[in-house]
Amino acid sequence: MAAVGPRSSPHGALSRQLLLTLLVFSFACEACKNVIFNIPSKLEADKMIGRVNLKECLKSADIIQSSDSDFRVLEDGSVFTARVVVFSDEKRSFTILLSDTKTQAQKDITVLLKHQRKVLRKRQTKETILRRAKRRWAPIPCSMMENSLGPFPLFLQQVQSDAAQNYTIFYSISGPGVDQEPLNLFYIEKNTGNLYCTRPVDREEYDVFDLIGYASTADGYSADLPLPLPIRVEDENDNYPVFTESIYNFEIPESSKLGTTVGVVCATDRDEPDTMHTLLRYSILEQTPRSPGLFSVHPRKGVITLTSHSLDRETAHTYTLLMEVQDMDGQFFGLKATSTCLITVRDSNDNVPTFRHNAYEASVEENTFNVEILRLLIEDKDLINTENWRANFTILKGNEKGHFKISTDKETNEGVLCVIKPLNYEENRQVILEVGVNNEAPLTRDTAIRSATMSRAVVTVHVKDQDEGPECNPPTQDIQIKENSEVGSKINGYKAYDPETKSSKGLRYKKLHDPQGWINIDEISGSVTTSKTLDREAVTPQNGLYYITVLAIDQGGRSCTGTLAVNLEDANDNPPEILQNYLTVCKPKMTYTEISAVDLDEAVNGPPFSFSMANASPEIRRIWTLKQVNDTAAHLSYQNNAYFQEYDVPVTVEDRAGQSATKTLRVNLCDCVHPSQCKAASRSGVVLGGGAILAILLGVALLSCVLLTLVCGAVGIRKEKHFPEDLTQQNLIISNTEAPAYDRVCSANGCMTHSVNNSSQGFCGTMGSGVKTGGQETIEMVKGGQQTLESCRGAGHQHTLESCKGGGHHTLDSCRGGQVDADNCRYTYSEWHSFTQPRLGEKLHLCNQNEDRMQSQDYVLTYNYEGRGSPAESVGCCSEKQEEDGLDFLSNLEPKFTALAEACVKR
């Protein structure tokens, strides 16, 4: 590759003197191995003619000089022409002087330049018989410069075969550049073997061409084996280095330490690697702003670092660096390229916020609050609208009572001082505050060391006087009144005052709220007078106090509100009260029952209580005994020979102040395991209420109607009826038939007749009460409207069923004529059940209510079917005699009605 760069003229007195000095030193230098270069007759400027191994001669050489000004030598030993050189003689030489300034060692290398003219010979065929030579033709090393200027075709080398000494040989080549891309770049003369290049070559595109040479006779015989002919393209410094980016962007915090890495720049070069053409050197050409110089770059690695402690964003927040890279290790003739590097200085909190003034003044009227009174301006050089710039204000002194608050205006960064709690002119006419300020972000370490304390300012707040109303202070005032005090008793009341005069003169008082209406307040003095007898136990005090709200008004109509906290002194006006009324004791499971008492008075007039049976009879004292177990309870025990019955036991309880009360307890001594088993028995002696008796009468009347209807057939034919027990579980059931007949089922809407063994038998369901008239039976039942069922009247085996449907009234006439058989006409059980069930439910619902029409779960109890053998038997066993006797049977109820009576007991 060719090296392109500026050149300097070696002529002049200084150059001649230097050359003379080198010649003098050369006599004292130790000579190294000579180097021979084969060159053409003409060389262009800046062309490399070869490379010398300088390290082999003197490894520590730091000065490299050439004795011929037409040539220059680089550090890696590359020899270049300084100008155009034309060789007139066949030989030319010059000396490379190597010096080590530390050890004072010097050596020189002699470079011989040879120019050899080529003589082409034509060979003729001497023999027709070919003979192989013992020696094989050998390739000659060949290279060519990239981007050669010619002239073209450019001679590269001559290929010769040993067989050409005796035979006529023809040469040919193949490979890249011949019959492969790039085509027709090389060709060889058939007869002479001269190899030529037809045009310039770019090494970055093709660095080597691997050609194959062939030697053959006229008849096509190969005189030698194919010969590899590698042609290497010598690099020329024809490519400029290129930065990877046209503009680099880096950031660095201000106040960074010396040597902090800012960023890395990088460049590439397409020339041959590991040569001077790709040995790059970085440098900073220019910094904007120019002063001071803050950055440096590593010449080999391209690392930009900080070289100063004075990097300050407030001085300059961005820097622009013009970067340069040059190949040939920065030699003046190396190729160059530039790029721009933008460095942004990131803000750090290295500036302390400061107040513009050291002292401020503000004023505010008394009794005003939630108002802004002052704005405090500060200065901060850090970046605006960042945590390094935003301020935090603090009231350091003077706000012990919490009257003030200071905040930050996010837009202007000002401190806003506000009054949040009313000030009192009479208490304090001036308030002095000390305010401090800092940033949201902490200061950098160096700044914190330099500024040990925050910035402070003094704010003086003047309080303005205001004509204000009365002041209720303290807002809650305590008074004490004895319970049960006489009406009209006078006590000191609430006192307000005028803050201007510190006096209560001219103020009027008014009661705003008195829950029980116990007191009156004097309008002028504010004193309290009782208007009713005070009962501490009548109210539920808050924290043991009774609160009354009072309004104080001055002459201008301004007012304030206060509270009277009345402490009611307790009087022993409530005796202790036993909580129990009725007790059940299961013998022998329980040996005692517990009695407890409470007292509504305060503890000083309450427990411990004492229990006794002072008013009890000797019989009660013999059976029952009392034993106190704690301050509020005692055990009531019985003797083993006590009978199972209920006892009236009077018990007296007395508090510590001597207030006592006697209560007669009803104690049921019962043979049971749990007291709940004696609950029903304990209620049997209770008198029935009017509602309960009415419910019983209605139930009995309904049952009587049902029973009379069921036995209507039995009365007509005087036959015994048997009710199957498994059909309805002791409900009203139909009777059996004793002979085949017509089965006639009469419903509310008609009559169904079944024929069995050519006989007729009728079934007439009955609901309601039956009335006998001659040979007819008429049963009426109300089912939405009015329904009348007349018994079947028949003559022989002829039956007529007439149904009248109209106005909700239905009549069923039986077969007329002949003898009437009551058993041959009856209703089915399902029809009876569907009629009586809702009506019985309605009656039971009425029985389940007390005199106030409220639901009472104790009146009606549910009893399930108990099976056979019940001692109460069934309610269906009522005889016709009971129906005829009216209601006299209610006076002597049998056990079968015990459950019904208990369901209707009035508590």
Side-chain angles (χ1 to χ4, degrees), residues 31 43 61 78 126 137 230 439 447 513 637 660 669 733 821 870 878:
L43 291 175
S78 299
K126 295 181 181 181
W137 60 326
N439 293 122
T447 307
H513 180 64
S637 305
S660 64
L669 187 61
I733 58 177
D821 189 355
S870 174
C878 301

Side-chain angles (χ1 to χ4, degrees), residues 133-285:
K134 295 182 179 180
R135 294 181 301 164
R136 184 178 179 276
W137 60 326
I140 300 174
C142 180
S143 63
M144 61 176 294
M145 293 297 296
E146 71 167 330
N147 303 323
S148 176
L149 300 177
F152 294 100
L154 178 65
F155 174 78
L156 298 180
Q157 70 175 354
Q158 185 181 24
V159 179
Q160 293 181 347
S161 175
D162 294 339
Q165 297 176 2
N166 300 318
Y167 306 103
T168 300
I169 301 299
F170 298 99
Y171 299 96
S172 62
I173 58 175
S174 66
V178 181
D179 54 359
Q180 301 177 19
E181 291 292 338
L183 297 174
N184 303 320
L185 180 61
F186 302 101
Y187 74 91
I188 190 170
E189 290 183 347
K190 180 178 179 181
N191 296 323
T192 63
N194 292 334
L195 183 62
Y196 293 92
C197 179
T198 62
R199 58 184 181 270
V201 179
D202 186 5
R203 191 208 65 84
E204 285 70 43
E205 188 174 2
Y206 304 100
D207 58 346
V208 66
F209 294 93
D210 293 320
L211 304 181
I212 304 295
Y214 304 94
S216 60
T217 61
D219 56 359
Y221 177 76
S222 296
D224 281 299
L225 294 175
L227 179 67
L229 297 174
I231 299 176
R232 182 175 179 273
V233 181
E234 294 291 341
D235 184 40
E236 183 183 22
N237 192 18
D238 59 341
N239 289 280
Y240 285 82
V242 178
F243 281 98
T244 56
E245 296 182 20
S246 60
I247 298 178
Y248 291 89
N249 290 280
F250 302 117
E251 287 188 359
I252 182 173
E254 65 174 330
S255 303
S256 296
K257 295 181 179 180
L258 185 68
T260 302
T261 299
V262 179
V264 179
V265 296
C266 182
T268 60
D269 196 322
R270 294 182 60 198
D271 290 325
E272 186 175 0
D274 301 325
T275 64
M276 291 294 292
H277 299 161
T278 55
L279 186 58
L280 305 180
R281 181 179 290 271
Y282 299 92
S283 61
I284 299 176
L285 291 182

Side-chain angles (χ1 to χ4, degrees), residues 389-530:
W389 175 79
R390 287 190 287 267
N392 279 338
F393 294 89
T394 306
I395 300 177
L396 303 176
K397 295 180 181 178
N399 193 32
E400 288 76 12
K401 295 184 179 180
H403 290 282
F404 302 92
K405 181 186 74 171
I406 190 168
S407 58
T408 304
D409 188 329
K410 300 300 182 181
E411 299 295 330
T412 63
N413 210 32
E414 297 173 330
V416 181
L417 183 63
C418 299
V419 176
I420 60 173
K421 186 177 178 181
L423 293 165
N424 193 334
Y425 174 81
E426 288 72 27
E427 292 182 358
N428 200 348
R429 300 184 180 186
Q430 179 177 286
V431 181
I432 299 177
L433 304 176
E434 185 178 359
V435 181
V437 62
N438 53 20
N439 293 122
E440 292 182 359
L443 294 171
T444 60
R445 182 177 181 181
D446 295 339
T447 307
I449 294 174
R450 293 195 306 266
S451 303
T453 59
M454 68 172 63
S455 178
R456 303 180 182 221
V458 176
V459 179
T460 303
V461 180
H462 301 281
V463 182
K464 296 180 179 180
D465 189 20
Q466 189 182 57
D467 187 11
E468 50 193 342
E471 184 172 332
C472 295
N473 190 23
T476 301
Q477 300 179 13
D478 298 330
I479 62 173
Q480 192 166 350
I481 305 178
K482 291 185 178 180
E483 183 184 12
N484 299 328
S485 298
E486 295 182 359
V487 176
S489 299
K490 191 174 182 179
I491 306 98
N492 292 332
Y494 195 87
K495 287 293 182 180
Y497 66 94
D498 188 342
E500 308 293 337
T501 62
K502 302 295 181 179
S503 171
S504 300
K505 186 177 181 180
L507 298 181
R508 294 179 293 110
Y509 299 91
K510 182 180 180 181
K511 182 177 67 172
L512 289 181
H513 180 64
D514 181 5
Q516 299 294 328
W518 282 345
I519 66 171
N520 293 325
I521 295 182
D522 186 86
E523 184 178 4
I524 303 301
S525 63
S527 59
V528 174
T529 304
T530 59

Side-chain angles (χ1 to χ4, degrees), residues 519-644:
I519 66 171
N520 293 325
I521 295 182
D522 186 86
E523 184 178 4
I524 303 301
S525 63
S527 59
V528 174
T529 304
T530 59
S531 59
K532 295 181 181 179
T533 301
L534 278 63
D535 186 2
R536 193 190 67 86
E537 291 75 28
V539 295
T540 303
Q542 301 177 10
N543 300 324
L545 300 174
Y546 177 72
Y547 292 98
I548 300 171
T549 306
V550 179
L551 181 68
I553 308 171
D554 64 3
Q555 296 178 355
R558 292 180 293 270
S559 63
C560 67
T561 302
T563 302
L564 271 177
V566 181
N567 182 14
L568 294 175
E569 294 184 11
D570 183 46
N572 192 15
D573 56 346
N574 292 281
E577 180 182 359
I578 298 176
L579 299 177
Q580 294 80 10
N581 293 320
Y582 188 90
L583 299 171
T584 301
V585 182
C586 290
K587 179 183 178 182
K589 184 69 175 180
M590 299 168 56
T591 59
Y592 64 87
T593 185
E594 186 173 289
I595 301 172
S596 58
V598 294
D599 195 329
L600 298 179
D601 293 325
E602 289 186 350
V604 66
N605 296 321
F609 302 138
S610 60
F611 296 86
S612 64
M613 294 190 298
N615 299 327
S617 63
E619 181 66 18
I620 295 299
R621 289 176 177 272
R622 184 183 64 83
I623 298 175
W624 300 95
T625 58
L626 270 175
K627 180 180 179 182
Q628 189 158 344
V629 294
N630 55 38
D631 291 347
T632 60
H635 287 171
L636 180 63
S637 305
Y638 60 87
Q639 301 298 327
N640 292 332
N641 57 354
Y643 295 105
F644 294 108

Side-chain angles (χ1 to χ4, degrees), residues 47 54 85 184 226 288 380 407 452 489 495 560 658 706 729-730 747 750 822 857 885:
K47 295 294 183 180
L54 304 179
V85 179
N184 303 320
T288 305
D380 195 325
S407 58
S489 299
K495 287 293 182 180
C560 67
V706 173
Q729 298 184 357
Q730 293 188 355
S747 65
Q857 298 298 331
D885 292 340

Side-chain angles (χ1 to χ4, degrees), residues 609-744:
F609 302 138
S610 60
F611 296 86
S612 64
M613 294 190 298
N615 299 327
S617 63
E619 181 66 18
I620 295 299
R621 289 176 177 272
R622 184 183 64 83
I623 298 175
W624 300 95
T625 58
L626 270 175
K627 180 180 179 182
Q628 189 158 344
V629 294
N630 55 38
D631 291 347
T632 60
H635 287 171
L636 180 63
S637 305
Y638 60 87
Q639 301 298 327
N640 292 332
N641 57 354
Y643 295 105
F644 294 108
Q645 66 179 46
E646 291 187 353
Y647 297 88
D648 292 330
V649 181
V651 178
T652 301
V653 58
E654 183 179 352
D655 59 21
R656 65 166 63 184
Q659 186 77 271
S660 64
T662 301
K663 185 175 183 179
T664 301
L665 303 177
R666 186 73 170 173
V667 183
N668 182 10
L669 187 61
C670 180
D671 184 8
C672 59
V673 178
H674 191 272
S676 61
Q677 297 176 345
C678 297
K679 188 175 182 180
S682 66
R683 294 179 177 178
S684 60
V686 180
V687 179
L688 297 178
I693 295 177
L694 178 60
I696 293 175
L697 294 177
L698 292 175
V700 171
L702 178 61
L703 291 175
S704 299
C705 293
V706 173
L707 293 175
L708 290 176
T709 303
L710 292 175
V711 301
C712 64
V715 174
I717 61 175
R718 298 291 190 267
K719 291 184 178 181
E720 185 179 2
K721 306 299 184 293
H722 299 280
F723 302 99
E725 295 179 2
D726 58 346
L727 181 61
T728 59
Q729 298 184 357
Q730 293 188 355
N731 291 321
L732 300 180
I733 58 177
I734 62 175
S735 61
N736 295 330
T737 56
E738 298 181 353
Y742 281 98
D743 292 339
R744 179 178 300 167

Side-chain angles (χ1 to χ4, degrees), residues 35 37 50-55 73 76-79 96 109 111:
V35 178
F37 292 142
R51 184 174 295 169
V52 180
N53 190 354
L54 304 179
K55 301 296 182 182
V73 184
D76 62 344
S78 299
V79 180
I96 300 175
I109 301 174
V111 179

